[in-house]
Amino acid sequence: MACNSLSLFSPNYFIPISTKPPAKHLFSSHTYLPCNFSQYYNSKREFPLPSVASIPYQPINVDYLEEEFSGHGVTFEGIGDNCVAKMGLENGSTVNLMLPSGLISSYKAPMWHGGKVELLHTSVSEDENGGAVIQGGVSLALNCSSDGDDEVSWSPCNWALRNIRGDAQESIQVELIDRDSENKIEVKYIVTLKKDMLSSELVVSNSNSSSLLQLTGSIVSHLVVSTPDATYALGLEGSDFFNRSPLLTNFALVPPDFGQKNEFGLGQFLGQMTLKGLSSGWGARNQNTADDAESSPRESEEEMEGEEDDNYKHLKEQMSRIYTSAPRYFTIIDRGKRNSVGVGREGFDELYMFSPGSRHEYYSTYSYVCVGQSALLKPIILGPEEEWRGLQHLHNPNL
């Protein structure tokens, strides 16, 4: 799948990075899709910079960013050929947004006790070449496709900084943009930090005058918890769901043994989505997994779908589900940290929820739960010259 980007500013400013094959996580043998995994230098761990492909991209000019976008409560820090935009409000709320990947690697929020708590789970590991690999946080996994004479299959993943609005007193908004090579699809990614909320907004425009555009994907958030054993989802009672294999996207963090004792087959979703003509990457570990799924008995519809009967859903067991009728707002509660996060959505009809289960060590690599505002079972369709907007809110109710 191609991944292209359009530079909107001075050639000294924006550059996408490596087109080398995706890196592998130390704890996993996943093959990541649909865009190349962005690698980053971590000076504290002294990882060497990954080699850059021969495409003549230039590094991001951090000095230019500081000069052009200063005064909004955002500072910029270069990390190798990449950059971190650090958003900070006077009440103590902070966000780290990585460029050009668009990964939100940190969201620290003020708490009732006067301190600050990290709400996102991010894992830094080392690939086989000694490069740094970052997974978790809040990331985008979006596939745009169309048929006909103007057939397109593209995923935005190299983001250019377009604008910054607001100030450190009330709210800060960072707007990123990416376009396909034919300028038929434009995707804006708008990250907004308020005193009690972090919002991730997608605006997709189909400028083609004759073709429909199909969107599949999710805004995926890894929320840090003490352990899934102490974590509950409040407000999902009565929601219809489908058990599905985990999303294995560029920044997804999934235990390598997930599903070995689970109640559903990991390969089944891949086969169903392939039949529907969706991206072949969603839910696939590798081709062997798909082949094994074809030869194994398939679960009945009764085993694959159901209705949530618990309004205080305990997330201690391994689970990977897509809720098709979940409320627009619900709450994740971590009794171990005495903390909660409100999760809201707009534009998306589905909710993806993933828990690695409680078999892992507390406060470790897999101490998180994952939520995603999604269009996976039912794609979003844009007509010619139409626009669509989808939004996720992470609300801090602890002030």
Side-chain angles (χ1 to χ4, degrees), residues 374-392:
S374 306
L376 297 171
L377 300 176
K378 182 180 179 181
I380 295 165
I381 305 298
L382 274 71
E385 301 182 347
E386 285 188 350
E387 182 177 274
W388 171 84
R389 174 180 176 267
L391 189 68
Q392 174 186 261

Side-chain angles (χ1 to χ4, degrees), residues 203-351:
V203 180
V204 183
S205 300
N206 177 20
S207 62
N208 197 308
S209 60
S210 59
S211 298
L212 298 176
L213 183 65
Q214 176 177 274
L215 307 179
T216 54
S218 183
I219 300 176
V220 185
S221 300
H222 296 69
L223 304 179
V224 65
V225 298
S226 55
T227 169
D229 188 55
T231 306
Y232 300 80
L234 178 63
L236 297 179
E237 184 178 13
S239 302
D240 296 326
F241 66 81
F242 289 84
N243 289 318
R244 290 294 186 261
S245 56
L247 297 181
L248 302 186
T249 62
N250 291 341
F251 300 103
L253 184 61
V254 178
D257 60 349
F258 182 88
Q260 291 183 359
K261 297 181 180 180
N262 231 23
E263 61 184 7
F264 55 93
L266 287 180
Q268 183 167 359
F269 190 28
L270 172 64
Q272 293 177 347
M273 297 194 77
T274 301
L275 290 175
K276 293 179 180 179
L278 305 184
S279 169
S280 61
W282 296 104
R285 288 178 182 266
N286 50 47
Q287 188 59 46
N288 290 336
T289 303
D291 293 340
D292 292 343
E294 290 299 321
S295 60
S296 63
R298 292 196 170 186
E299 292 85 353
S300 66
E301 287 297 321
E302 288 75 15
E303 293 173 318
M304 291 300 296
E305 61 182 282
E307 179 181 316
E308 185 60 68
D309 58 4
D310 193 347
N311 199 48
Y312 201 61
K313 175 68 175 176
H314 201 179
L315 302 179
K316 66 177 181 178
E317 303 296 337
Q318 290 186 3
M319 66 172 289
S320 181
R321 289 179 175 177
I322 299 173
Y323 289 88
T324 57
S325 59
R328 294 287 175 177
Y329 187 91
F330 71 101
T331 303
I332 297 292
I333 297 176
D334 179 7
R335 297 176 64 181
K337 290 190 173 188
R338 300 176 65 193
N339 183 40
S340 62
V341 178
V343 182
R345 75 180 189 276
E346 300 175 27
F348 293 96
D349 292 330
E350 301 167 5
L351 168 67

Side-chain angles (χ1 to χ4, degrees), residues 83-114:
C83 175
V84 177
K86 297 184 175 182
M87 308 162 63
L89 296 180
E90 291 182 352
N91 80 326
S93 298
T94 62
V95 162
N96 288 349
L97 174 62
M98 304 190 72
L99 301 174
S101 69
L103 173 70
I104 300 175
S105 60
S106 174
Y107 172 32
K108 292 182 179 179
M111 293 289 119
W112 52 270
H113 47 66

